[in-house]
């Protein structure tokens, strides 16, 4: 099987799964809710060398997935969608080793892995959701690596994942995606405040009335508010000072429940990402608790 064939199969399967499991394909996909509706049992634990494990259901038990909790949130979400793809596509049980090895050519793709990987892309990055994010980041097209970086944050996926899917939906040419994959990640300059943030969001009036999912260590660069007004921040968000005309705000471990940032002109909802340890029942969308601070890997 080649990638074109895999994407043809996955495109249809992902569209049907989004509808079947009641997922809004215009927003950031809640892959864990979809897994729950598909009858999955999910467990997260550290598993060096493995991304995930899919166990096909039987007549007596439903499907199950075991995920490496030491990975980044984007990679956990991607792996979860990948395991869901195995289920939706009727695959047998699968052990998913480091997906980076497949993307870099260290290991060869099987038909099942190609289909599940393509499914993950179409499930987590539907065309409608990607188009809507363009509006929310104040763009009409992906014109620079920083736009790709911001889209990845909004969708909860990796920078490399957006580059690949943007080619699939003709949002980027292959040559442009290749050039940007060899550039820096597109992350904005972190600013003068310490410590250096893990991720940097650029937020402005185009994001008014929407919601983002943040992690401890994120920096939110808030622009487009009243210059004389200090934004109203929920507990756990720590103002760091101005960067140009914007205000930098850091997400701390104290932030553990949904809240809102309100400037004089616009507002945005913010939701903390829970620690992905243990059974899925401990992973509600807005769950509190400190974030896992162990080393994490990022799928490319």
């Amino acid at each position: 099987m080649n990638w074109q064939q895999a994407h043809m199969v996955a495109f249809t399967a992902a569209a049907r799964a989004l509808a079947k499991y009641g997922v809004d394909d215009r927003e950031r996909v809640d892959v864990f809710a979809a897994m729950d509706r598909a009858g999955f049992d999910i467990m997260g634990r550290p598993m060096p060398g493995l991304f995930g494990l899919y166990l096909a259901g039987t007549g007596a038990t439903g499907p199950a997935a075991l995920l490496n909790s030491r990975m980044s949130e984007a990679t956990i979400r991607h792996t979860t969608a990948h395991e869901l793809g195995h289920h939706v596509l009727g695959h047998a049980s699968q052990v998913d080793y480091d997906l980076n090895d497949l993307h870099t050519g260290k290991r060869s793709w099987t038909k099942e892995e190609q289909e599940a990987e393509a499914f993950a892309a179409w499930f987590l990055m539907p065309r409608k959701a990607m188009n809507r994010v363009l509006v929310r980041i104040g763009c009409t097209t992906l014109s620079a690596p920083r736009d790709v970086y911001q889209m990845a944050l909004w969708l909860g996926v990796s920078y490399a994942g957006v580059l690949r899917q943007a080619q699939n939906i003709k949002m980027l040419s292959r040559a442009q995606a290749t050039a940007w994959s060899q550039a820096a990640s597109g992350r904005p300059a972190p600013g003068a405040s310490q410590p250096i943030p893990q991720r940097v969001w650029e937020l402005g009036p185009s994001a008014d009335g929407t919601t983002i999912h943040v992690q401890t260590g994120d920096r939110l660069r808030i622009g487009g508010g009243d210059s004389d007004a200090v934004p109203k921040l929920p507990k756990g968000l720590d103002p760091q000072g101005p960067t140009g005309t914007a205000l930098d705000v850091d997400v701390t471990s104290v932030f553990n429940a949904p809240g809102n940032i309100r400037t004089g002109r616009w507002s945005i909802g913010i939701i903390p990402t829970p620690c992905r340890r243990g059974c899925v029942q401990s992973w509600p969308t807005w769950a509190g608790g400190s974030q896992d601070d162990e080393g994490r890997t990022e799928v490319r």
Side-chain angles (χ1 to χ4, degrees):
M1 170 172 282
N2 59 39
W3 278 109
Q4 183 178 8
Q5 293 170 325
H7 280 287
M8 289 178 63
V9 171
F11 170 78
T12 301
R16 289 175 176 171
L18 287 164
K20 179 178 180 179
Y21 301 131
V23 178
D24 189 345
D25 64 356
R26 301 166 300 173
E27 300 290 343
R28 180 183 188 271
V29 169
D30 188 342
V31 65
F32 302 109
M35 293 286 274
D36 182 60
R37 292 165 190 160
F40 267 82
D41 290 320
I42 310 176
M43 180 71 71
R45 61 171 297 173
M47 298 188 299
L50 288 179
F51 272 42
L53 173 68
Y54 164 65
L55 296 174
T58 66
T61 63
L66 182 61
L67 306 171
N68 184 352
S69 63
R70 293 192 65 182
M71 301 187 298
S72 70
E73 176 70 7
T75 306
I76 290 175
R77 283 172 46 80
H78 178 94
T79 304
T80 304
H82 183 104
E83 309 308 349
L84 178 61
H86 284 310
H87 172 69
V88 170
L89 294 163
H91 296 165
S93 298
Q94 301 282 328
V95 178
D96 290 315
Y97 296 95
D98 192 334
L99 295 179
N100 291 318
D101 289 347
L102 294 172
H103 283 293
T104 57
K106 292 181 179 179
R107 291 192 296 116
S108 298
W109 291 91
T110 64
K111 172 181 177 292
E112 290 78 11
E113 289 305 319
Q114 277 187 305
E115 289 180 343
E117 188 70 354
F119 176 93
W122 287 106
F123 191 80
L124 292 176
M125 293 172 278
R127 183 188 301 271
K128 290 179 182 178
M130 294 182 76
N131 286 334
R132 182 167 283 194
V133 169
L134 277 178
V135 175
R136 292 173 176 176
I137 63 177
C139 296
T140 55
T141 62
L142 292 174
S143 58
R146 69 189 303 156
D147 299 334
V148 176
Y149 177 89
Q150 293 300 317
M151 179 171 284
L153 293 182
W154 277 85
L155 294 176
V157 297
S158 71
Y159 176 84
V162 172
L163 285 178
R164 287 192 293 267
Q165 184 66 352
Q167 295 175 73
N168 294 331
I169 68 170
K170 310 302 182 186
M171 191 176 281
L172 281 180
S173 68
R174 181 176 182 179
Q176 190 66 79
T178 299
W180 289 356
S181 70
Q182 297 169 349
S185 68
R187 188 183 78 166
S193 302
Q194 296 294 328
I196 295 176
Q198 295 180 13
R199 311 188 305 173
V200 181
W201 296 74
E202 294 183 311
L203 304 170
S206 58
D208 183 35
T210 61
T211 300
I212 60 174
H213 295 251
V214 301
Q215 300 175 24
T216 299
D218 281 2
R219 179 159 294 167
L220 314 181
R221 186 155 293 156
I222 303 168
D226 287 340
S227 58
D228 296 331
V230 176
K232 294 181 179 179
L233 305 173
K235 182 180 179 181
L237 267 61
D238 184 15
Q240 296 298 308
T243 295
T245 59
L247 174 68
D248 281 354
V249 175
D250 285 358
V251 180
T252 73
S253 60
V254 177
F255 180 64
N256 58 14
N260 290 278
I261 296 174
R262 295 183 174 86
T263 74
R265 298 177 181 172
W266 62 277
S267 65
I268 188 170
I270 50 175
I271 296 175
T273 299
C275 174
R276 304 295 182 191
R277 281 289 185 89
C279 62
V280 71
Q281 284 76 16
S282 67
W283 298 356
T285 301
W286 59 268
S290 60
Q291 184 141 1
D292 188 354
D293 61 358
E294 294 191 44
R296 298 185 174 201
T297 57
E298 186 70 30
V299 66
R300 298 299 300 165

mmCIF file of all heavy atoms in Angstrom, residues 188-224:
data_model
loop_
_atom_site.group_PDB
_atom_site.id
_atom_site.type_symbol
_atom_site.label_atom_id
_atom_site.label_comp_id
_atom_site.label_asym_id
_atom_site.label_seq_id
_atom_site.Cartn_x
_atom_site.Cartn_y
_atom_site.Cartn_z
ATOM 1 N N PRO A 188 7.436 31.502 18.529
ATOM 2 C CA PRO A 188 7.822 32.901 18.695
ATOM 3 C C PRO A 188 8.928 33.051 19.735
ATOM 4 O O PRO A 188 9.122 32.178 20.593
ATOM 5 C CB PRO A 188 6.529 33.570 19.175
ATOM 6 C CG PRO A 188 5.440 32.640 18.774
ATOM 7 C CD PRO A 188 6.029 31.263 18.833
ATOM 8 N N ALA A 189 9.645 34.145 19.671
ATOM 9 C CA ALA A 189 10.660 34.425 20.679
ATOM 10 C C ALA A 189 10.017 34.392 22.056
ATOM 11 O O ALA A 189 8.931 34.948 22.258
ATOM 12 C CB ALA A 189 11.297 35.783 20.425
ATOM 13 N N PRO A 190 10.656 33.728 23.031
ATOM 14 C CA PRO A 190 10.013 33.552 24.339
ATOM 15 C C PRO A 190 9.864 34.821 25.147
ATOM 16 O O PRO A 190 9.070 34.873 26.081
ATOM 17 C CB PRO A 190 10.935 32.556 25.046
ATOM 18 C CG PRO A 190 12.259 32.734 24.382
ATOM 19 C CD PRO A 190 11.952 33.054 22.951
ATOM 20 N N GLY A 191 10.608 35.884 24.813
ATOM 21 C CA GLY A 191 10.565 37.103 25.609
ATOM 22 C C GLY A 191 11.641 37.082 26.685
ATOM 23 O O GLY A 191 12.385 36.107 26.841
ATOM 24 N N ALA A 192 11.688 38.171 27.435
ATOM 25 C CA ALA A 192 12.777 38.332 28.403
ATOM 26 C C ALA A 192 12.536 37.618 29.722
ATOM 27 O O ALA A 192 13.473 37.340 30.471
ATOM 28 C CB ALA A 192 13.009 39.821 28.667
ATOM 29 N N SER A 193 11.295 37.305 30.040
ATOM 30 C CA SER A 193 10.967 36.740 31.348
ATOM 31 C C SER A 193 11.456 35.305 31.469
ATOM 32 O O SER A 193 11.462 34.538 30.502
ATOM 33 C CB SER A 193 9.455 36.792 31.587
ATOM 34 O OG SER A 193 8.977 38.116 31.513
ATOM 35 N N GLN A 194 11.882 34.928 32.655
ATOM 36 C CA GLN A 194 12.327 33.566 32.965
ATOM 37 C C GLN A 194 11.290 32.875 33.838
ATOM 38 O O GLN A 194 10.553 33.525 34.568
ATOM 39 C CB GLN A 194 13.680 33.618 33.687
ATOM 40 C CG GLN A 194 14.806 34.175 32.845
ATOM 41 C CD GLN A 194 15.157 33.293 31.669
ATOM 42 O OE1 GLN A 194 15.039 32.066 31.736
ATOM 43 N NE2 GLN A 194 15.571 33.904 30.571
ATOM 44 N N PRO A 195 11.197 31.545 33.810
ATOM 45 C CA PRO A 195 11.976 30.638 32.964
ATOM 46 C C PRO A 195 11.488 30.649 31.514
ATOM 47 O O PRO A 195 10.392 31.146 31.224
ATOM 48 C CB PRO A 195 11.724 29.270 33.605
ATOM 49 C CG PRO A 195 10.344 29.407 34.180
ATOM 50 C CD PRO A 195 10.253 30.827 34.681
ATOM 51 N N ILE A 196 12.295 30.107 30.622
ATOM 52 C CA ILE A 196 11.898 30.036 29.218
ATOM 53 C C ILE A 196 10.701 29.099 29.099
ATOM 54 O O ILE A 196 10.726 27.982 29.618
ATOM 55 C CB ILE A 196 13.066 29.538 28.350
ATOM 56 C CG1 ILE A 196 14.208 30.557 28.388
ATOM 57 C CG2 ILE A 196 12.610 29.284 26.914
ATOM 58 C CD1 ILE A 196 15.449 30.121 27.654
ATOM 59 N N PRO A 197 9.630 29.521 28.456
ATOM 60 C CA PRO A 197 8.416 28.704 28.398
ATOM 61 C C PRO A 197 8.556 27.501 27.477
ATOM 62 O O PRO A 197 9.374 27.480 26.559
ATOM 63 C CB PRO A 197 7.377 29.690 27.840
ATOM 64 C CG PRO A 197 8.190 30.633 27.010
ATOM 65 C CD PRO A 197 9.486 30.800 27.746
ATOM 66 N N GLN A 198 7.744 26.476 27.755
ATOM 67 C CA GLN A 198 7.709 25.301 26.882
ATOM 68 C C GLN A 198 7.073 25.649 25.540
ATOM 69 O O GLN A 198 7.534 25.208 24.488
ATOM 70 C CB GLN A 198 6.911 24.181 27.543
ATOM 71 C CG GLN A 198 7.521 23.636 28.818
ATOM 72 C CD GLN A 198 6.666 22.528 29.426
ATOM 73 O OE1 GLN A 198 5.763 21.997 28.796
ATOM 74 N NE2 GLN A 198 6.952 22.190 30.663
ATOM 75 N N ARG A 199 5.976 26.413 25.590
ATOM 76 C CA ARG A 199 5.242 26.758 24.376
ATOM 77 C C ARG A 199 4.821 28.220 24.479
ATOM 78 O O ARG A 199 4.599 28.731 25.575
ATOM 79 C CB ARG A 199 4.006 25.872 24.207
ATOM 80 C CG ARG A 199 4.300 24.375 24.365
ATOM 81 C CD ARG A 199 3.100 23.518 24.012
ATOM 82 N NE ARG A 199 1.895 23.866 24.755
ATOM 83 C CZ ARG A 199 0.695 23.339 24.526
ATOM 84 N NH1 ARG A 199 0.539 22.455 23.570
ATOM 85 N NH2 ARG A 199 -0.353 23.693 25.243
ATOM 86 N N VAL A 200 4.673 28.889 23.339
ATOM 87 C CA VAL A 200 4.286 30.299 23.320
ATOM 88 C C VAL A 200 3.075 30.471 22.403
ATOM 89 O O VAL A 200 3.149 30.228 21.198
ATOM 90 C CB VAL A 200 5.427 31.209 22.831
ATOM 91 C CG1 VAL A 200 4.978 32.675 22.845
ATOM 92 C CG2 VAL A 200 6.680 31.026 23.687
ATOM 93 N N TRP A 201 1.963 30.879 23.002
ATOM 94 C CA TRP A 201 0.744 31.175 22.249
ATOM 95 C C TRP A 201 0.719 32.657 21.899
ATOM 96 O O TRP A 201 1.059 33.503 22.734
ATOM 97 C CB TRP A 201 -0.495 30.881 23.087
ATOM 98 C CG TRP A 201 -0.720 29.460 23.494
ATOM 99 C CD1 TRP A 201 -0.048 28.756 24.445
ATOM 100 C CD2 TRP A 201 -1.733 28.588 22.989
ATOM 101 N NE1 TRP A 201 -0.575 27.495 24.563
ATOM 102 C CE2 TRP A 201 -1.606 27.354 23.688
ATOM 103 C CE3 TRP A 201 -2.736 28.721 22.029
ATOM 104 C CZ2 TRP A 201 -2.451 26.275 23.441
ATOM 105 C CZ3 TRP A 201 -3.573 27.636 21.784
ATOM 106 C CH2 TRP A 201 -3.430 26.433 22.480
ATOM 107 N N GLU A 202 0.263 32.997 20.701
ATOM 108 C CA GLU A 202 0.023 34.382 20.309
ATOM 109 C C GLU A 202 -1.488 34.563 20.141
ATOM 110 O O GLU A 202 -2.090 34.002 19.223
ATOM 111 C CB GLU A 202 0.765 34.712 19.016
ATOM 112 C CG GLU A 202 2.276 34.675 19.187
ATOM 113 C CD GLU A 202 3.028 35.069 17.937
ATOM 114 O OE1 GLU A 202 2.706 34.531 16.850
ATOM 115 O OE2 GLU A 202 3.930 35.914 18.042
ATOM 116 N N LEU A 203 -2.080 35.328 21.044
ATOM 117 C CA LEU A 203 -3.537 35.462 21.099
ATOM 118 C C LEU A 203 -3.947 36.900 20.897
ATOM 119 O O LEU A 203 -3.333 37.816 21.455
ATOM 120 C CB LEU A 203 -4.054 34.949 22.440
ATOM 121 C CG LEU A 203 -3.663 33.510 22.805
ATOM 122 C CD1 LEU A 203 -4.026 33.214 24.253
ATOM 123 C CD2 LEU A 203 -4.342 32.518 21.861
ATOM 124 N N GLY A 204 -5.001 37.104 20.111
ATOM 125 C CA GLY A 204 -5.488 38.448 19.855
ATOM 126 C C GLY A 204 -6.990 38.459 19.649
ATOM 127 O O GLY A 204 -7.676 37.445 19.881
ATOM 128 N N PRO A 205 -7.553 39.572 19.214
ATOM 129 C CA PRO A 205 -9.011 39.706 19.061
ATOM 130 C C PRO A 205 -9.646 38.665 18.148
ATOM 131 O O PRO A 205 -10.827 38.351 18.307
ATOM 132 C CB PRO A 205 -9.165 41.117 18.486
ATOM 133 C CG PRO A 205 -7.948 41.854 18.951
ATOM 134 C CD PRO A 205 -6.851 40.836 18.949
ATOM 135 N N SER A 206 -8.904 38.115 17.197
ATOM 136 C CA SER A 206 -9.472 37.102 16.299
ATOM 137 C C SER A 206 -9.835 35.822 17.049
ATOM 138 O O SER A 206 -10.579 34.988 16.532
ATOM 139 C CB SER A 206 -8.494 36.787 15.165
ATOM 140 O OG SER A 206 -7.257 36.333 15.683
ATOM 141 N N ALA A 207 -9.317 35.656 18.276
ATOM 142 C CA ALA A 207 -9.631 34.481 19.095
ATOM 143 C C ALA A 207 -10.793 34.737 20.050
ATOM 144 O O ALA A 207 -11.095 33.879 20.889
ATOM 145 C CB ALA A 207 -8.403 34.061 19.892
ATOM 146 N N ASP A 208 -11.440 35.879 19.932
ATOM 147 C CA ASP A 208 -12.504 36.257 20.864
ATOM 148 C C ASP A 208 -13.610 35.207 20.914
ATOM 149 O O ASP A 208 -14.098 34.728 19.888
ATOM 150 C CB ASP A 208 -13.101 37.601 20.421
ATOM 151 C CG ASP A 208 -14.164 38.114 21.384
ATOM 152 O OD1 ASP A 208 -14.026 37.896 22.604
ATOM 153 O OD2 ASP A 208 -15.138 38.744 20.910
ATOM 154 N N GLY A 209 -13.982 34.815 22.138
ATOM 155 C CA GLY A 209 -15.096 33.900 22.338
ATOM 156 C C GLY A 209 -14.767 32.430 22.137
ATOM 157 O O GLY A 209 -15.668 31.592 22.164
ATOM 158 N N THR A 210 -13.502 32.108 21.954
ATOM 159 C CA THR A 210 -13.107 30.728 21.730
ATOM 160 C C THR A 210 -12.476 30.137 22.997
ATOM 161 O O THR A 210 -12.456 30.780 24.039
ATOM 162 C CB THR A 210 -12.122 30.630 20.546
ATOM 163 O OG1 THR A 210 -10.946 31.392 20.840
ATOM 164 C CG2 THR A 210 -12.752 31.175 19.281
ATOM 165 N N THR A 211 -11.944 28.939 22.885
ATOM 166 C CA THR A 211 -11.340 28.250 24.027
ATOM 167 C C THR A 211 -10.053 27.569 23.598
ATOM 168 O O THR A 211 -9.984 26.985 22.508
ATOM 169 C CB THR A 211 -12.309 27.187 24.593
ATOM 170 O OG1 THR A 211 -13.517 27.824 25.014
ATOM 171 C CG2 THR A 211 -11.684 26.471 25.780
ATOM 172 N N ILE A 212 -9.036 27.630 24.445
ATOM 173 C CA ILE A 212 -7.787 26.923 24.187
ATOM 174 C C ILE A 212 -7.472 25.984 25.346
ATOM 175 O O ILE A 212 -7.958 26.175 26.465
ATOM 176 C CB ILE A 212 -6.606 27.895 23.959
ATOM 177 C CG1 ILE A 212 -6.384 28.779 25.196
ATOM 178 C CG2 ILE A 212 -6.831 28.729 22.714
ATOM 179 C CD1 ILE A 212 -5.138 29.655 25.099
ATOM 180 N N HIS A 213 -6.653 24.970 25.065
ATOM 181 C CA HIS A 213 -6.230 24.000 26.071
ATOM 182 C C HIS A 213 -4.756 24.239 26.354
ATOM 183 O O HIS A 213 -3.914 24.081 25.461
ATOM 184 C CB HIS A 213 -6.466 22.577 25.570
ATOM 185 C CG HIS A 213 -7.914 22.248 25.380
ATOM 186 N ND1 HIS A 213 -8.596 21.380 26.208
ATOM 187 C CD2 HIS A 213 -8.816 22.685 24.467
ATOM 188 C CE1 HIS A 213 -9.853 21.294 25.811
ATOM 189 N NE2 HIS A 213 -10.007 22.069 24.749
ATOM 190 N N VAL A 214 -4.441 24.596 27.586
ATOM 191 C CA VAL A 214 -3.076 25.001 27.932
ATOM 192 C C VAL A 214 -2.424 23.999 28.872
ATOM 193 O O VAL A 214 -3.090 23.158 29.472
ATOM 194 C CB VAL A 214 -3.071 26.404 28.573
ATOM 195 C CG1 VAL A 214 -3.670 27.434 27.618
ATOM 196 C CG2 VAL A 214 -3.827 26.409 29.903
ATOM 197 N N GLN A 215 -1.108 24.121 28.996
ATOM 198 C CA GLN A 215 -0.337 23.254 29.871
ATOM 199 C C GLN A 215 0.520 24.102 30.803
ATOM 200 O O GLN A 215 0.884 25.235 30.469
ATOM 201 C CB GLN A 215 0.579 22.347 29.043
ATOM 202 C CG GLN A 215 -0.151 21.444 28.073
ATOM 203 C CD GLN A 215 0.808 20.669 27.193
ATOM 204 O OE1 GLN A 215 1.955 20.457 27.541
ATOM 205 N NE2 GLN A 215 0.330 20.239 26.034
ATOM 206 N N THR A 216 0.839 23.545 31.959
ATOM 207 C CA THR A 216 1.775 24.210 32.858
ATOM 208 C C THR A 216 3.076 24.484 32.108
ATOM 209 O O THR A 216 3.612 23.607 31.433
ATOM 210 C CB THR A 216 2.071 23.323 34.074
ATOM 211 O OG1 THR A 216 0.850 23.084 34.787
ATOM 212 C CG2 THR A 216 3.087 23.981 35.000
ATOM 213 N N GLY A 217 3.564 25.712 32.206
ATOM 214 C CA GLY A 217 4.774 26.093 31.494
ATOM 215 C C GLY A 217 4.520 26.833 30.202
ATOM 216 O O GLY A 217 5.453 27.362 29.589
ATOM 217 N N ASP A 218 3.255 26.909 29.765
ATOM 218 C CA ASP A 218 2.928 27.679 28.570
ATOM 219 C C ASP A 218 3.061 29.177 28.849
ATOM 220 O O ASP A 218 2.838 29.634 29.984
ATOM 221 C CB ASP A 218 1.491 27.402 28.126
ATOM 222 C CG ASP A 218 1.352 26.090 27.376
ATOM 223 O OD1 ASP A 218 2.358 25.369 27.235
ATOM 224 O OD2 ASP A 218 0.220 25.797 26.929
ATOM 225 N N ARG A 219 3.362 29.931 27.816
ATOM 226 C CA ARG A 219 3.316 31.396 27.886
ATOM 227 C C ARG A 219 2.264 31.892 26.902
ATOM 228 O O ARG A 219 2.283 31.525 25.727
ATOM 229 C CB ARG A 219 4.680 32.006 27.567
ATOM 230 C CG ARG A 219 4.702 33.548 27.602
ATOM 231 C CD ARG A 219 6.117 34.069 27.779
ATOM 232 N NE ARG A 219 6.624 33.689 29.102
ATOM 233 C CZ ARG A 219 7.921 33.777 29.451
ATOM 234 N NH1 ARG A 219 8.823 34.208 28.575
ATOM 235 N NH2 ARG A 219 8.308 33.414 30.664
ATOM 236 N N LEU A 220 1.344 32.699 27.388
ATOM 237 C CA LEU A 220 0.288 33.272 26.565
ATOM 238 C C LEU A 220 0.645 34.721 26.266
ATOM 239 O O LEU A 220 0.766 35.534 27.186
ATOM 240 C CB LEU A 220 -1.065 33.194 27.282
ATOM 241 C CG LEU A 220 -1.419 31.850 27.942
ATOM 242 C CD1 LEU A 220 -2.801 31.926 28.586
ATOM 243 C CD2 LEU A 220 -1.358 30.720 26.932
ATOM 244 N N ARG A 221 0.809 35.049 25.008
ATOM 245 C CA ARG A 221 1.131 36.422 24.593
ATOM 246 C C ARG A 221 -0.161 37.081 24.146
ATOM 247 O O ARG A 221 -0.720 36.755 23.099
ATOM 248 C CB ARG A 221 2.179 36.402 23.475
ATOM 249 C CG ARG A 221 2.696 37.775 23.073
ATOM 250 C CD ARG A 221 4.081 37.656 22.462
ATOM 251 N NE ARG A 221 5.047 37.231 23.480
ATOM 252 C CZ ARG A 221 6.199 36.608 23.189
ATOM 253 N NH1 ARG A 221 6.502 36.325 21.944
ATOM 254 N NH2 ARG A 221 7.013 36.256 24.175
ATOM 255 N N ILE A 222 -0.664 37.986 24.983
ATOM 256 C CA ILE A 222 -1.998 38.544 24.805
ATOM 257 C C ILE A 222 -1.901 39.934 24.212
ATOM 258 O O ILE A 222 -1.326 40.851 24.800
ATOM 259 C CB ILE A 222 -2.735 38.590 26.158
ATOM 260 C CG1 ILE A 222 -2.784 37.190 26.768
ATOM 261 C CG2 ILE A 222 -4.130 39.164 25.997
ATOM 262 C CD1 ILE A 222 -3.221 37.167 28.211
ATOM 263 N N GLY A 223 -2.453 40.105 23.039
ATOM 264 C CA GLY A 223 -2.429 41.395 22.360
ATOM 265 C C GLY A 223 -3.823 41.872 22.026
ATOM 266 O O GLY A 223 -4.812 41.147 22.180
ATOM 267 N N GLY A 224 -3.908 43.104 21.581
ATOM 268 C CA GLY A 224 -5.180 43.633 21.105
ATOM 269 C C GLY A 224 -6.157 44.034 22.169
ATOM 270 O O GLY A 224 -7.350 44.217 21.889
#
